[in-house]
Amino acid sequence: SRTPDWVAKGTIPGSVNIPWDQLNIGHSDPITVQDILEKQFGVRNQDGFYLFDQAKTVVMFCNGPWCGQSPTNIRGLLKIGYPANRIKWYRGGMQDWESLGLTTVKPAK
């Protein structure tokens, strides 16, 4: 859920970044949100309705426990019916990850 400028400073290995402001349901471009849901999260759209039977389990994290980006995205996903059991939240975010001395990587440019 981090913006590209924060991700450029380092991220969790293997993570796929989807900036929170692109997935901010109700505020972001609806076509962008639908594209993320379908191509990244496995959500299907049938006759204008989202079907979550094949939705992926997502793990959200942002910059730290003080950061509101992941909670914003989680609330939006729940509001449109994304299954709560398929949303995980690493609440400590990058701040806790780095303070624990865990490996970080910088994305390829």
Side-chain angles (χ1 to χ4, degrees):
S1 299
R2 300 167 70 222
T3 56
D5 55 327
W6 281 95
V7 173
K9 298 174 185 179
T11 192
I12 296 173
S15 64
V16 174
N17 186 53
I18 298 172
W20 79 277
D21 54 352
Q22 291 182 15
L23 187 60
N24 191 355
I25 295 168
H27 299 280
S28 298
D29 171 50
I31 301 299
T32 300
V33 171
Q34 182 173 338
D35 193 52
I36 292 167
L37 291 172
E38 292 177 2
K39 293 180 180 172
Q40 299 283 334
F41 292 2
V43 175
R44 295 181 302 127
N45 188 325
Q46 184 175 338
D47 300 323
F49 294 96
Y50 288 127
L51 302 177
F52 299 100
D53 58 317
Q54 297 177 16
K56 295 179 181 179
T57 296
V58 297
V59 179
M60 302 275 184
F61 68 93
C62 44
N63 298 311
W66 47 268
C67 185
Q69 296 169 346
S70 292
T72 297
N73 285 161
I74 291 167
R75 281 190 297 275
L77 288 170
L78 292 171
K79 191 177 282 189
I80 64 166
Y82 207 96
N85 66 327
R86 294 190 186 163
I87 301 172
K88 309 299 180 197
W89 180 26
Y90 178 52
R91 187 174 299 200
M94 285 306 298
Q95 181 179 4
D96 282 1
W97 188 270
E98 289 174 330
S99 72
L100 292 170
L102 300 172
T103 303
T104 62
V105 294
K106 293 191 178 187
K109 292 186 180 188

